Amino acid sequence: MNRLYLEIGPKKVFACSLDWPGWCRIDKGEEAAIDRLMDYVPRYRVIADRAGLEFTPGEPEVVGRVQGAGTTDFGVPYQVPDLDLEPLPGPEAERQVALMRAAWELFDETAAVSPEDLRKGPRGGGRDRTKIVDHVTEAERSYARMVGVRHKPYRSHEDREALRTDLAETLSRPWTPPATTTWPPRYALRRIAWHIIDHLWEIEDRR
């Protein structure tokens, strides 16, 4: 199970898994993006293991391409491919939500044991730990609205956990088109998981 699609921007390409939410990598060109994605198999396996799932992807199979834009080059898998309009059976939705939950757990655990000051990039850029956590937390609330889950700004840790519970419950349901929310569930699961995992790996690489 290693179906990929490519989001092709003006200068860069995202290679994204259709079946393993959050497993997306970007590089300059199609082959480079696919190679980079496969380089991250061991790191994504940590997430799959936490979810209790076996992750042994075979050779990548590109089954679709979508035209990207400047947002793609900026580093965000922004376009919704037609393949995300496929029905999402209940068991598959629950499997993908388990991976999203695993990403949440690993992100929270990694942030908790990482220093506040993270190594800067070659040009001195990059958020420190608290700002990354705040960014991910607020993005989740924004992303949740794309699937009809709306919560007020958090006032406590419990508020954030309540949103995560509602979001996971919503995305665990079987789905058939047409879409009635801004994002179809397949794309929502991928985008949310990707954002968490991308910053999880950022913290790991910079601490």
Side-chain angles (χ1 to χ4, degrees):
M1 190 163 58
N2 198 7
R3 301 184 305 154
L4 312 180
Y5 76 91
L6 303 178
E7 181 174 322
I8 303 169
K11 296 180 180 179
K12 295 184 179 180
V13 176
F14 258 106
C16 295
S17 171
L18 284 164
D19 302 301
W20 296 95
W23 187 32
C24 304
R25 293 286 89 190
I26 190 173
D27 214 309
K28 297 178 179 179
E30 295 188 10
E31 291 302 320
I34 294 170
D35 288 345
R36 186 168 179 79
L37 183 76
M38 296 305 293
D39 287 344
Y40 276 72
V41 165
R43 296 183 78 170
Y44 193 88
R45 184 173 290 121
V46 174
I47 296 159
D49 286 347
R50 175 62 66 94
L53 298 170
E54 183 179 359
F55 181 63
T56 53
E59 287 298 311
E61 179 186 3
V62 177
V63 296
R65 287 174 171 81
V66 61
Q67 186 62 50
T71 308
T72 311
D73 286 355
F74 184 70
V76 178
Y78 187 75
Q79 303 297 331
V80 180
D82 290 342
L83 290 160
D84 283 345
L85 299 179
E86 294 177 352
L88 183 61
E92 176 61 15
E94 291 172 2
R95 186 186 74 86
Q96 293 201 23
V97 166
L99 290 159
M100 181 178 70
R101 286 185 180 277
W104 277 333
E105 290 178 9
L106 289 165
F107 177 84
D108 291 348
E109 291 170 10
T110 300
V113 298
S114 296
E116 174 62 21
D117 296 328
L118 300 175
R119 187 174 66 251
K120 302 300 182 185
R123 297 182 181 178
R127 301 178 179 96
D128 286 328
R129 184 200 61 197
T130 297
K131 289 186 177 180
I132 292 175
V133 172
D134 289 346
H135 167 68
V136 170
T137 299
E138 280 306 304
E140 284 175 8
R141 201 166 61 85
S142 175
Y143 294 163
R145 290 197 295 269
M146 298 298 183
V147 292
V149 176
R150 291 175 170 80
H151 281 232
K152 294 179 179 180
Y154 305 138
R155 300 181 66 180
S156 66
H157 175 78
E158 288 73 21
D159 288 346
R160 188 194 68 174
E161 291 306 304
L163 178 133
R164 286 181 170 182
T165 297
D166 287 352
L167 184 57
E169 180 181 328
T170 296
L171 293 174
S172 293
R173 299 168 186 157
W175 180 84
T176 54
T180 57
T181 55
T182 304
W183 287 352
R186 287 182 183 274
Y187 177 77
L189 282 158
R190 182 183 312 113
R191 178 73 176 272
I192 293 166
W194 163 78
H195 194 246
I196 302 161
I197 293 167
D198 195 56
H199 288 295
L200 162 64
W201 290 342
E202 178 191 2
I203 294 173
E204 288 178 343
D205 291 343
R206 294 178 52 219
R207 65 186 179 178

